[in-house]
Amino acid sequence: MLSKKGMVRGLPLIEKPDSLCEGCILGKRHRESFPSRKSIRAKAPLEIVHLDLCGPMQTPSLAGKQYFLTFINDFTRKTWV
């Protein structure tokens, strides 16, 4: 468009292709969004607790421990390590 209207000097005119390859068509296709579903949330403290164990760590703690465990209360989001 810039070249056709003479807005840019030295820009070659690029012709539009007659057909598109399959990869171009698939790459430009609209993606559907993820289905929205209600997640299960706790209705009271300590009803759902998530835990995660991490380790072994390369550098031990001052007490010599190489692992740590986290607890997360789903209702209040309070975290204990």
Side-chain angles (χ1 to χ4, degrees):
M1 181 180 228
L2 294 174
S3 181
K4 286 181 183 177
K5 292 187 177 185
M7 298 172 77
V8 178
R9 283 185 243 141
L11 185 66
L13 183 62
I14 300 172
E15 296 295 326
K16 203 172 179 184
D18 295 333
S19 63
L20 295 174
C21 67
E22 183 181 350
C24 292
I25 293 170
L26 291 174
K28 295 177 189 304
R29 188 176 3 174
H30 174 74
R31 286 188 246 161
E32 295 295 323
S33 60
F34 289 107
S36 60
R37 63 176 193 191
K38 299 196 179 219
S39 60
I40 299 171
R41 293 291 310 264
K43 295 177 179 57
L46 300 176
E47 182 179 11
I48 298 175
V49 177
H50 305 278
L51 9 142
D52 188 23
L53 177 65
C54 185
M57 308 302 280
Q58 290 181 348
T59 308
S61 70
L62 295 175
K65 309 301 181 201
Q66 292 184 308
Y67 293 85
F68 67 90
L69 182 65
T70 59
F71 296 90
I72 303 170
N73 181 0
D74 191 73
F75 183 74
T76 62
R77 299 289 185 199
K78 182 166 171 85
T79 304
W80 295 272
V81 179

